[in-house]
């Protein structure tokens, strides 16, 4: 295998391991870079080690992912995995407890507008999560040109109760990134901090996991539809819960089975998914409502709520629910 591998979240196992992700180098340190941009940092930083650590990069931009993939492949770095997803989702769902040696955060989006602070990565919840995923002696390395975000992140680390804050000079490779070069050309400086856990926390993997292999674990419901049920004028249906919003966008006749398929838009913080929920008539006269496997959905509380939203909508249309499995 040559070059970096590109993973989707559904490719990971929960929790995952260095031995599976890096079968040729499982004993090496494991470093996560959040927001790798066009991939300039890691080829430079990896040269500082006697042996290239195992690298896991996460990014939201598909264009950046492709640029970084080409750059790492050109550099001959083979023990690297790149993935397109929100960082907190990956850290919580993929990284095992005490799995990482370091987390690198270079020039993240500062979300500078008033009221947008909740979108910032480096807040108390992330520091507490990171403290559970870093090995003893591991740390978060944070470099930014944004003074206010730097002060904000340092304050959040301190009040998290699990991090020690040390400021200093950034790794030389951080000054070779796209944004560092931009600010250097303008004569501006950067800020750098190392956040080191003062104690190990316990943050479980929670209820985020890929589409399960065992059919009984798939979110589902069983109900009985009215004999005259024939949806021809479906209207958009919205359901909100703690931490998620589900919008049923449309309903389609199933091409394969006797029934329908609902398209649901699920928003949970920075994670957005569009999932399909099947409504299938069964031989015994009952109807099965179940999350479809199409697209490899990540089963989160919001995705379970999407199955619940379809079930509740059918109930409002006169269906009788006999079982809920979500």
């Amino acid at each position: 295998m040559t070059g970096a591998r590109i993973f989707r979240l559904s490719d990971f196992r929960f929790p995952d391991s260095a031995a599976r992700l890096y079968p040729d180098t499982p004993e090496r340190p494991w470093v996560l870079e959040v927001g790798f941009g066009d991939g300039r940092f890691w080829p430079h930083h990896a040269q500082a080690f006697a042996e290239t650590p195992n690298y896991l990069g996460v990014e939201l931009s598909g264009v950046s992912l492709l640029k970084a993939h080409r750059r790492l492949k050109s550099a001959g770095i083979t023990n690297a995995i790149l993935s397109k997803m929100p960082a907190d989702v990956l850290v919580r769902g993929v990284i095992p407890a005490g799995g990482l040696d370091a987390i690198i955060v270079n020039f993240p989006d500062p979300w500078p507008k008033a009221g947008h602070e909740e979108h910032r990565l480096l807040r108390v919840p992330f520091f507490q999560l990171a403290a559970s995923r870093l090995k003893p002696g591991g740390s978060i390395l944070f470099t930014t040109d944004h003074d206010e975000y730097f002060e904000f992140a340092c304050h959040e680390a301190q009040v998290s109760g699990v991090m020690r804050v040390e400021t200093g000079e950034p790794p030389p490779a951080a000054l070779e990134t796209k944004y560092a070069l931009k600010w250097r050309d303008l004569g501006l400086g950067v800020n750098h901090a190392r956040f080191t856990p003062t104690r190990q926390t316990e943050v479980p993997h929670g209820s985020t996991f890929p589409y399960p292999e065992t059919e009984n674990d798939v979110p589902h419901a069983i109900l009985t539809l009215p004999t005259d049920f024939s949806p021809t004028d479906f209207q958009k249906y919205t359901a909100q819960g703690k931490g998620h919003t589900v919008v049923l966008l449309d309903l389609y006749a199933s091409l394969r089975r006797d029934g329908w398929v609902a398209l649901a838009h699920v928003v949970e913080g920075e994670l957005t998914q569009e999932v399909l929920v099947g409504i299938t008539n069964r031989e015994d006269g009952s109807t099965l409502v179940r999350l479809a496997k199409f697209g490899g959905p990540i089963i989160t509380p919001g995705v379970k709520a999407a199955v619940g939203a379809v079930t509740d909508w059918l109930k409002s249309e006169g269906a009788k629910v006999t079982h809920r499995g979500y």
Side-chain angles (χ1 to χ4, degrees):
M1 182 179 295
T2 59
R5 291 171 286 171
I6 296 178
F7 269 45
R8 301 170 302 170
L9 189 53
S10 56
D11 296 325
F12 290 106
R13 296 173 185 169
F14 291 66
D16 224 310
S17 68
R20 188 183 78 85
L21 297 179
Y22 310 96
D24 297 328
T25 57
E27 74 289 347
R28 294 187 187 179
W30 186 1
V31 176
L32 167 68
E33 183 180 2
V34 176
F36 49 74
D38 61 7
R40 298 189 196 195
F41 173 79
W42 188 244
H44 284 284
H45 192 59
Q47 295 176 14
F49 299 85
E51 291 185 308
T52 303
N54 295 319
Y55 174 84
L56 176 60
V58 63
E59 174 63 70
L60 291 176
S61 167
V63 172
S64 292
L65 186 148
L66 294 176
K67 288 181 178 179
H69 178 257
R70 288 196 293 265
R71 194 179 297 274
L72 268 63
K73 183 177 180 180
S74 177
I77 296 175
T78 59
N79 55 330
I81 291 174
L82 305 179
S83 191
K84 182 178 181 293
M85 69 185 76
D88 55 348
V89 174
L90 179 138
V91 175
R92 183 179 299 273
V94 173
I95 305 298
L100 290 173
D101 291 81
I103 299 174
I104 309 292
V105 185
N106 290 325
F107 302 95
D109 189 337
W111 290 95
K113 294 183 179 179
H116 285 190
E117 290 180 350
E118 65 179 21
H119 298 299
R120 290 175 169 175
L121 174 69
L122 297 178
R123 297 182 296 119
V124 168
F126 185 79
F127 284 119
Q128 293 174 339
L129 172 61
S132 73
R133 302 301 192 253
L134 286 165
K135 296 177 182 177
S139 58
I140 301 172
L141 302 182
F142 171 48
T143 305
T144 181
D145 59 283
H146 197 276
D147 295 341
E148 189 275 328
Y149 187 16
F150 183 74
E151 294 175 2
F152 173 89
C154 290
H155 174 73
E156 290 286 295
Q158 290 172 337
V159 302
S160 72
V162 299
M163 290 287 174
R164 180 176 69 252
V165 180
E166 301 172 88
T167 59
E169 294 298 317
L175 302 180
E176 299 297 328
T177 61
K178 176 181 176 181
Y179 286 102
L181 294 173
K182 173 182 177 181
W183 296 118
R184 187 178 69 186
D185 290 344
L186 293 174
L188 303 175
V190 299
N191 305 292
H192 178 75
R194 177 188 294 268
F195 306 116
T196 305
T198 54
R199 61 184 177 89
Q200 297 300 114
T201 59
E202 293 185 9
V203 179
H205 282 80
S207 54
T208 301
F209 54 95
Y211 194 94
E213 296 296 330
T214 305
E215 191 147 316
N216 290 337
D217 293 334
V218 179
H220 67 282
I222 299 173
L223 42 80
T224 302
L225 294 176
T227 55
D228 60 348
F229 180 76
S230 181
T232 56
D233 58 348
F234 177 83
Q235 300 293 318
K236 186 167 70 173
Y237 181 93
T238 301
Q240 290 188 313
K242 185 178 180 180
H244 63 260
T245 299
V246 176
V247 181
L248 302 185
L249 297 172
D250 213 338
L251 190 71
Y252 307 92
S254 176
L255 296 176
R256 287 188 169 186
R257 299 180 179 179
D258 179 18
W260 302 267
V261 176
L263 173 63
H265 184 79
V266 183
V267 179
E268 298 172 87
E270 294 183 353
L271 178 64
T272 298
Q273 299 188 79
E274 287 193 344
V275 299
L276 298 178
V277 180
I279 305 169
T280 306
N281 293 325
R282 305 200 298 182
E283 292 182 359
D284 64 1
S286 65
T287 298
L288 175 66
V289 177
R290 190 177 72 176
L291 179 68
K293 191 172 185 177
F294 178 81
I298 308 158
I299 299 181
T300 61
V303 168
K304 292 180 180 179
V307 178
V310 173
T311 303
D312 290 342
W313 171 72
L314 290 170
K315 187 177 178 181
S316 72
E317 295 291 312
K320 294 183 179 180
V321 182
T322 60
H323 173 75
R324 295 178 185 262
Y326 49 83

